[in-house]
Amino acid sequence: MDEARKTGRRWGPTRGASAELNDLAILLRGWLDVSGVRISGLRRRLTPEHFHDLEKVPSSSTISEWLSGVALRWDFVEAVIDVCSESAEIAVSRRDEARVIWNASEKSRRDRQKTSPRPEVVRPLSQDQLLSWLAKVPAVQPAEQASEVSTRSSVQRISELVSEETVPGLVEGLLDNLHPRTWEILVKELRKQGKDLHAAQLMQDLGSRGDPHKIIPVVESLRTDGHFGDDRIVLDSIAKNRTARELLIIIEAFRRDRQDLSAYVVTERIGVVRNSLSAVEIILDFKERKETETLAGILRGAGKWRDGDGLAELINRLRATGVGECADLILMAAGSERGASSLPSLVRALKDTCEPGDIVKLAHAIGSMRSRPRLKPLEDTLWKTNQDEVLRLIRIFGRNRT
């Protein structure tokens, strides 16, 4: 019997940005059908820990969008595998199968960005012309219907004239002249016109060079009323491009505005989105400034979310720079918080390229800092991937825990 029919589900058409994302969505749907899990049941089994930047489990409508291929996230793919897999062996096999498709989708996305022709522009805008347009757009509240129509009309005109050359000036004009709500309207209009790359460029430029004090309300507006993930583009750009001094200003401003989640995400992402050389430089800067709380968040993020090879490279660079204690803290974070399915790749990378003692430190962190229920799936995964010596170390340290 067809498994989809068996569960009573009627999946809609896939709508992902690429054939690969649609293929991955179909694969996830198939695993859900085989396990008999509906969207409502999937949502009940998910936890915030399945996602690296969300405070709560997304709504059923968002999950349904992901399962159609729209804005599909890798951590959600891993979460579905976690929920649907009956054993660690099946989970590892499914993760490998999904990763091949995900990597292909990422390559396809990068290729599209490189080869996409520039959108045709009616005429280039000078800085004065651009700011003149922006000055006509009022800062409005949703209830002001007449002004809302005027705002959308002006934003539509601006969006039609946006090109790669005018985006930097648009960022400055938005920050200097407009209410944060206009960002939300403008980004939506750009997407409506098929200018997704320009919308992303706009938010990346905001994150990388916008006034640190003025970014905060824009992020809040994008997070609450914008397209899902728009705020994340800004936060990732902040984490990747800002100096330590600017990062401290922005993180503190988020906290004053009670955007603790945004402050937390930026702090963790610093250790994830930068290459190893840049990450070491920023870690050293925060260490010299004695910003221990922020430094701890950076190291925790690197340990939780950086891929195995990248994490091993970062650890080696930190040791070569004379800050081995930071490398040890990353290993502690990886051992206590990293997902079970990603541990085997980290173990292999550490064994291949790092000091022998690093495996012992990782095993100590796992055995001494995880509760018994959290150890079981990890032990199953290590056993199925032939990491017996690491598993023995974990059990030794777990037994010695006081």
Side-chain angles (χ1 to χ4, degrees):
M1 181 186 294
D2 182 81
E3 290 295 341
R5 186 170 300 167
K6 183 172 132 183
T7 60
R9 178 180 290 122
R10 291 290 185 271
W11 293 111
T14 53
R15 297 179 288 112
S18 66
E20 294 84 1
L21 286 178
N22 288 335
D23 290 343
L24 189 52
I26 291 170
L27 188 64
L28 297 179
R29 291 174 174 186
W31 289 333
L32 287 167
D33 287 337
V34 169
S35 61
V37 178
R38 297 175 180 272
I39 289 178
S40 57
L42 172 63
R43 186 172 186 271
R44 285 195 300 272
R45 300 183 196 187
L46 296 176
T47 68
E49 286 71 29
H50 278 115
F51 307 97
H52 61 262
D53 61 344
L54 302 181
E55 196 172 28
K56 61 182 180 179
V57 175
S59 65
S60 295
S61 61
T62 297
I63 291 173
S64 178
E65 284 280 277
W66 290 342
L67 288 170
S68 72
V70 175
L72 186 58
R73 303 159 53 112
W74 176 249
D75 54 7
F76 175 69
V77 174
E78 290 191 304
V80 172
I81 293 172
D82 181 46
V83 168
C84 294
S85 301
E86 297 176 356
S87 67
E89 185 176 16
I90 292 174
V92 170
S93 174
R94 285 176 171 175
R95 186 179 186 277
D96 290 343
E97 182 180 359
R99 191 76 206 189
V100 170
I101 303 175
W102 177 264
N103 289 342
S105 76
E106 287 293 283
K107 182 179 184 300
S108 175
R109 179 182 61 80
R110 290 192 295 269
D111 290 344
R112 286 197 305 273
Q113 289 178 339
K114 291 177 182 177
T115 60
S116 293
R118 290 182 180 177
E120 218 175 288
V121 180
V122 178
R123 61 182 174 83
L125 281 174
S126 70
Q127 180 79 355
D128 290 341
Q129 288 172 319
L130 184 60
L131 296 181
S132 174
W133 274 111
L134 292 169
K136 296 176 183 177
V137 184
V140 301
Q141 297 301 321
E144 298 172 285
Q145 296 299 325
S147 296
E148 180 85 355
V149 173
S150 174
T151 300
R152 291 189 181 279
S153 175
S154 298
V155 167
Q156 185 176 2
R157 290 292 303 277
I158 295 170
S159 301
E160 290 169 353
L161 297 172
V162 164
S163 70
E164 187 173 339
E165 290 80 6
T166 60
V167 165
L170 184 58
V171 172
E172 294 175 8
L174 284 167
L175 288 173
D176 291 340
N177 295 283
L178 292 180
H179 189 279
R181 173 167 167 69
T182 308
W183 278 86
E184 172 206 338
I185 299 173
L186 178 56
V187 169
K188 284 181 178 178
E189 182 62 34
L190 286 170
R191 293 191 187 284
K192 182 180 176 182
Q193 294 185 20
K195 295 183 175 182
D196 290 331
L197 291 179
H198 288 106
Q201 184 186 347
L202 193 70
M203 291 179 286
Q204 287 166 358
D205 279 1
L206 168 66
S208 64
R209 63 187 190 83
D211 186 313
H213 299 284
K214 295 180 180 178
I215 287 177
I216 310 308
V218 179
V219 172
E220 174 66 8
S221 178
L222 291 173
R223 186 182 68 81
T224 54
D225 298 313
H227 184 274
F228 183 83
D230 280 348
D231 62 315
R232 172 62 178 274
I233 296 175
V234 180
L235 296 177
D236 270 10
S237 182
I238 292 170
K240 185 175 183 178
N241 298 294
R242 296 288 184 162
T243 64
R245 183 184 65 82
E246 291 173 330
L247 284 165
L248 289 172
I249 292 172
I250 293 171
I251 291 168
E252 182 56 34
F254 275 132
R255 288 172 178 155
R256 283 198 305 271
D257 199 51
R258 297 185 179 179
Q259 293 191 52
D260 292 332
L261 176 60
S262 294
Y264 180 85
V265 170
V266 167
T267 303
E268 281 205 341
R269 297 300 292 173
I270 295 168
V272 183
V273 298
R274 295 176 180 248
N275 63 43
S276 59
L277 182 60
S278 175
V280 169
E281 290 174 351
I282 203 77
I283 286 170
L284 290 172
D285 202 340
F286 277 105
K287 188 173 184 296
E288 289 174 6
R289 293 169 181 267
K290 296 183 168 51
E291 292 289 341
T292 54
E293 183 180 353
T294 304
L295 179 59
I298 295 170
L299 301 177
R300 180 178 61 244
K304 269 169 76 171
W305 304 116
R306 207 173 180 93
D307 70 90
D309 291 333
L311 188 54
E313 181 183 353
L314 178 58
I315 286 171
N316 282 330
R317 282 191 181 276
L318 288 170
R319 294 205 186 284
T321 314
V323 283
E325 68 276 15
C326 290
D328 291 343
L329 289 170
I330 287 178
L331 287 168
M332 288 177 63
S336 62
E337 301 189 53
R338 200 175 186 89
S341 62
S342 66
L343 249 300
S345 63
L346 174 58
V347 168
R348 285 192 292 270
L350 291 177
K351 287 167 66 176
D352 290 344
T353 63
C354 293
E355 299 175 1
D358 285 338
I359 281 289
V360 178
K361 291 173 181 176
L362 178 67
H364 183 275
I366 294 171
S368 61
M369 301 178 72
R370 294 195 183 220
S371 62
R372 187 69 239 166
R374 293 182 65 217
L375 272 176
K376 185 62 171 64
L378 189 147
E379 290 179 345
D380 290 343
T381 302
L382 291 174
W383 181 71
K384 295 294 185 183
T385 53
N386 300 315
Q387 301 294 346
D388 295 341
E389 73 280 18
V390 180
L391 184 55
R392 283 195 296 272
L393 284 170
I394 291 171
R395 288 173 174 167
I396 289 170
F397 290 122
R399 284 198 302 269
N400 293 338
R401 183 170 43 187
T402 55

